[in-house]
């Protein structure tokens, strides 16, 4: 989808990243998107790690995520993102 939307070089997707380079990736990033589909998401540690590096979050409003992502303050919660995958979340990142 990134290529289809012409976002190559703008959006990076990482899978199975080793723990020793996570902080480096976070500090080089502008935004962290966490579109979990697990309705029983207990904590979402990866989002907390990203926030600890100063990243705003766009996340599914599932499980405990809403306990630490405060909508429109430190991130954005999307109510039905598990179904639609967070398109058009409308989150603005100011420089």
């Amino acid at each position: 989808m990134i290529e289809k939307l012409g976002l190559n070089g703008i959006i990076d997707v990482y899978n199975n990243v080793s723990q020793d380079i996570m902080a480096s990736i976070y500090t080089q990033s502008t935004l962290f998107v966490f579109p979990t589909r697990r309705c029983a998401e207990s904590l979402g540690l990866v989002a907390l790690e990203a926030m600890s590096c100063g990243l705003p979050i766009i996340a599914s409003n599932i499980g405990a995520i809403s306990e630490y992502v405060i909508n429109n303050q430190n991130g954005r919660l999307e109510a039905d993102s598990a179904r639609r995958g967070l398109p058009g979340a409308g989150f603005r990142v100011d420089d």
Side-chain angles (χ1 to χ4, degrees), residues 34-36 38-39 41 58-67 69 71 76-82 86:
F34 186 41
T36 185
R38 291 177 33 189
C39 291
E41 189 69 58
I58 297 176
S60 303
N61 192 4
I62 293 176
I65 298 168
S66 65
E67 297 294 320
V69 175
N71 205 27
R76 174 80 182 251
L77 293 170
E78 290 294 313
D80 61 349
S81 61
L86 294 177

Side-chain angles (χ1 to χ4, degrees), residues 11-79:
I11 295 177
D12 295 318
V13 176
Y14 297 92
N15 293 307
N16 302 316
V17 176
S18 65
Q19 195 66 32
D20 57 331
I21 64 169
M22 293 293 290
S24 175
I25 292 171
Y26 291 142
T27 57
Q28 295 174 35
S29 300
T30 304
L31 176 69
F32 185 79
V33 180
F34 186 41
T36 185
R37 294 177 180 219
R38 291 177 33 189
C39 291
E41 189 69 58
S42 61
L43 181 62
L45 183 59
V46 68
L48 282 171
E49 292 171 342
M51 289 175 69
S52 74
C53 291
L55 288 174
I57 307 293
I58 297 176
S60 303
N61 192 4
I62 293 176
I65 298 168
S66 65
E67 297 294 320
Y68 57 86
V69 175
I70 310 303
N71 205 27
N72 296 318
Q73 289 184 25
N74 64 353
R76 174 80 182 251
L77 293 170
E78 290 294 313

